Amino acid sequence: MLSCAALALGGCGADDVASPGEGVIVTPPANGGNNGGNNGGNNGGNNGGGTGPAANCPAGTVDRGIIATNWRNCEISGRISSDLTIQNLPGVRYSLSGPVNVGTDIGGDGAAAGGQRVTLTIQAGTVMFASSGNDYLVVNRGSRINAVGSAAAPIIFTARANIEGTTTDSSQGLWGGIILLGRAPISDCNTAVAGGSAQCQQVIEGTTGSLYGGATAEDSSGTMQYVQIRYSGFAIAPGNELQGLTLGGVGSGTTLDHIQIHNSSDDGIEIFGGRANLKNLVITGADDDGLDTDLGYKGFIQFVIAAQRDGTNGDSMIEADSNGNEDALPRQNTRLANFTFIQRSTVQGLNAILLRGGTDYTMVNGVVVSPASTFCLDIDETGGTTTRPTNAGLDDVGPPVFNSVVFSGGCTAFRDNDNNVAGTAVASIFNAGTANQSNFTNSLTNGFINGANERAVPVFDAKSLGSFFVTTSYIGAVRDTSDTWYANWTCNSVAANFGAASASCAAAPIN
């Protein structure tokens, strides 16, 4: 292990990042007395940059010199081939160079030749950055990420420019993003096999050969909690983009909560199939959709704040797709509860919520604020929307369902697949639910905190939809000013201000 670690500092082969065996933490090498005076004598201090850069990098990384005066740039590249823990060390920033793969794909059935199961652990407060659209992190099938921050010490993935202090509220698309790949069922296969089978797999967007999919619904890709992903998203080609966070075939055994995506140049989060469940999400400044779901995703999502940054950036708050393959199995079935969406883009003809054919969707306890130039709800489905019956053979539970969902800000129109602006069939679906309003007067404070009008709306018991949900006494993502689940671990921007405890997204992280 020591010899491989030594090789890593000089590059342990073109494809592998050397790392210690299971359960071993990567420790920094000896610092030579007081670390040259740079790190507070014993490498302690507040890790806020005032102690200066570390004298050197820990084993398993490559020293790329000093960045932004106060930080040692410790690079990770290639393939992580055994368990690795990234420590939050004073005076250190970690960089991703090129596609960084965690483990080697084990296949949908877990038996792929050469497969390696690896766990990447990232300590609370760690800051990692990347420099280009070709720099991103991929957790392959069978491997896991264990990135558990805290409200006081979130883990931050960001761009080099952010470390250097040159990002602004309009910065976006400065690096790739985070990709988690799992073995849970998907609907669209890259070979002629049954959807949802162990052999059904697909290449994830933004990569050349990273596969996802399988038949293990409860598969685990690890844990991400109290994490920020800033300034990511990159278009490899039209229709082939990296998002802030991309999930491909991720299973229900994965824990995903308290995650902020900020200024992604594409979607905030895109979910390709799988069974992942998510809670406590913050999506600010996404340049495309806030939350995009595809390819037979079935899951539960609760407590979401999503806010666009201005009148010219951003598309739909929700987009649900079937890739033109409406009857592919498994059929998408997304359940969304307690959300507050602030759509600011005034580009004519946008939709606040866009549901395409091949998706079943249930939304409850939601507040959507959208400008008058947009359509509140667009449901595009071949063959109509109100007459589609439940069909067990097609894994179809019927038209989308809305309960205790209110639209505010001027969007009163509905639209269907024929671009019928009257949207009579769509309006019927929306009005069939309970306590829905399409011309609601919001009383939100600070853009996303419920006021008296929101608290007066009857509430749907989300827990009746599934045990992942919790019962609330309110619609929207934030009950009132005493409800501060979003505070401290997030960052502030023109899109949303989460209070004095949260730092500016544009400012260099000081963890």
Side-chain angles (χ1 to χ4, degrees), residues 168-245:
T168 69
D169 273 329
S170 62
S171 298
Q172 63 177 26
L174 300 180
W175 65 289
I178 308 297
I179 302 171
L180 306 186
L181 304 178
R183 299 185 297 137
I186 64 172
S187 62
D188 290 37
C189 321
N190 62 359
T191 57
V193 298
S197 67
Q199 292 71 40
C200 180
Q201 60 185 9
Q202 189 58 262
V203 176
I204 197 67
E205 277 193 2
T207 72
T208 57
S210 297
L211 295 166
Y212 66 98
T216 308
E218 69 279 8
D219 188 46
S220 175
S221 295
T223 300
M224 292 182 67
Q225 295 176 303
Y226 294 100
V227 171
Q228 294 179 25
I229 303 173
R230 304 182 185 178
Y231 306 112
S232 58
F234 194 80
I236 307 300
N240 185 19
E241 304 97 358
L242 290 165
Q243 335 298 324
L245 177 62

Side-chain angles (χ1 to χ4, degrees), residues 374-462:
T374 64
F375 293 90
C376 297
L377 174 63
D378 185 350
I379 302 177
D380 293 345
E381 171 121 22
T382 302
T385 52
T386 57
T387 58
R388 172 162 62 87
T390 299
N391 187 327
L394 291 177
D395 193 21
D396 187 345
V397 299
V401 174
F402 302 86
N403 288 299
S404 300
V405 175
V406 299
F407 287 100
S408 180
C411 76
T412 57
F414 297 94
R415 181 162 62 174
D416 62 24
N417 55 298
D418 296 319
N419 285 321
N420 175 7
V421 295
T424 305
V426 177
S428 296
I429 291 174
F430 183 74
N431 293 328
T434 60
N436 296 324
Q437 299 182 48
S438 60
N439 193 16
F440 180 75
T441 300
N442 82 79
S443 59
L444 297 171
T445 60
N446 203 35
F448 57 88
I449 301 172
N450 284 356
N453 292 356
E454 289 75 28
R455 291 193 293 271
V457 176
V459 179
F460 183 87
D461 184 7

Side-chain angles (χ1 to χ4, degrees), residues 98-163:
V100 176
N101 281 270
V102 179
T104 302
D105 180 34
I106 66 169
D109 59 2
Q116 291 178 303
R117 298 174 185 263
V118 170
T119 296
L120 173 65
T121 298
I122 304 174
Q123 291 186 343
T126 298
V127 177
M128 305 184 76
F129 72 90
S131 303
S132 75
N134 193 48
D135 302 332
Y136 53 88
L137 182 69
V138 182
V139 180
N140 287 295
R141 286 187 294 188
S143 292
R144 298 183 180 187
I145 187 170
N146 183 31
V148 180
S150 67
I155 294 167
I156 300 174
F157 296 93
T158 190
R160 172 183 285 269
N162 194 212
I163 301 297

Side-chain angles (χ1 to χ4, degrees), residues 6-339:
L7 286 172
L9 295 175
C12 192
D15 296 323
D16 292 324
V17 173
S19 53
E22 183 175 353
V24 179
I25 294 178
V26 177
T27 55
N31 286 321
N34 66 358
N35 213 10
N38 287 330
N39 279 321
N42 61 357
N43 209 22
N46 62 8
N47 203 18
T51 58
N56 39 37
C57 287
T61 66
V62 176
D63 189 343
R64 294 303 185 191
I66 307 301
I67 183 171
T69 305
N70 287 317
W71 307 104
R72 178 69 56 182
N73 176 6
C74 299
E75 180 186 281
I76 302 170
S77 63
R79 189 175 305 277
I80 299 173
S81 56
S82 58
D83 291 357
L84 175 66
T85 294
I86 303 298
Q87 289 184 288
N88 179 22
L89 299 173
V92 171
R93 291 291 185 251
Y94 297 93
S95 58
L96 301 173
S97 179
V100 176
N101 281 270
V102 179
T104 302
D105 180 34
I106 66 169
D109 59 2
Q116 291 178 303
R117 298 174 185 263
V118 170
T119 296
L120 173 65
T121 298
I122 304 174
Q123 291 186 343
T126 298
V127 177
M128 305 184 76
F129 72 90
S131 303
S132 75
N134 193 48
D135 302 332
Y136 53 88
L137 182 69
V138 182
V139 180
N140 287 295
R141 286 187 294 188
S143 292
R144 298 183 180 187
I145 187 170
N146 183 31
V148 180
S150 67
I155 294 167
I156 300 174
F157 296 93
T158 190
R160 172 183 285 269
N162 194 212
I163 301 297
E164 296 172 335
T166 61
T167 47
T168 69
D169 273 329
S170 62
S171 298
Q172 63 177 26
L174 300 180
W175 65 289
I178 308 297
I179 302 171
L180 306 186
L181 304 178
R183 299 185 297 137
I186 64 172
S187 62
D188 290 37
C189 321
N190 62 359
T191 57
V193 298
S197 67
Q199 292 71 40
C200 180
Q201 60 185 9
Q202 189 58 262
V203 176
I204 197 67
E205 277 193 2
T207 72
T208 57
S210 297
L211 295 166
Y212 66 98
T216 308
E218 69 279 8
D219 188 46
S220 175
S221 295
T223 300
M224 292 182 67
Q225 295 176 303
Y226 294 100
V227 171
Q228 294 179 25
I229 303 173
R230 304 182 185 178
Y231 306 112
S232 58
F234 194 80
I236 307 300
N240 185 19
E241 304 97 358
L242 290 165
Q243 335 298 324
L245 177 62
T246 304
L247 307 180
V250 172
S252 61
T254 308
T255 299
L256 299 165
D257 64 73
H258 294 87
I259 299 172
Q260 179 182 15
I261 313 297
H262 177 66
N263 277 25
S264 167
S265 67
D266 198 63
D267 301 327
I269 300 174
E270 186 159 13
I271 306 176
F272 295 91
R275 300 290 187 270
N277 302 314
L278 303 89
K279 270 184 184 172
N280 301 105
L281 306 178
V282 174
I283 302 170
T284 48
D287 200 41
D288 194 7
D289 306 310
L291 180 64
D292 194 342
T293 52
D294 312 273
L295 305 193
Y297 168 65
K298 294 179 184 290
F300 299 84
I301 305 170
Q302 188 172 29
F303 305 119
V304 183
I305 300 169
Q308 294 177 341
R309 64 178 180 263
D310 55 38
T312 59
N313 295 94
D315 196 349
S316 299
M317 307 307 294
I318 290 287
E319 182 176 5
D321 292 307
S322 58
N323 207 27
N325 194 4
E326 281 77 7
D327 293 334
L329 300 178
R331 184 180 179 89
Q332 180 177 168
N333 188 2
T334 302
R335 277 64 50 101
L336 175 65
N338 294 95
F339 54 94

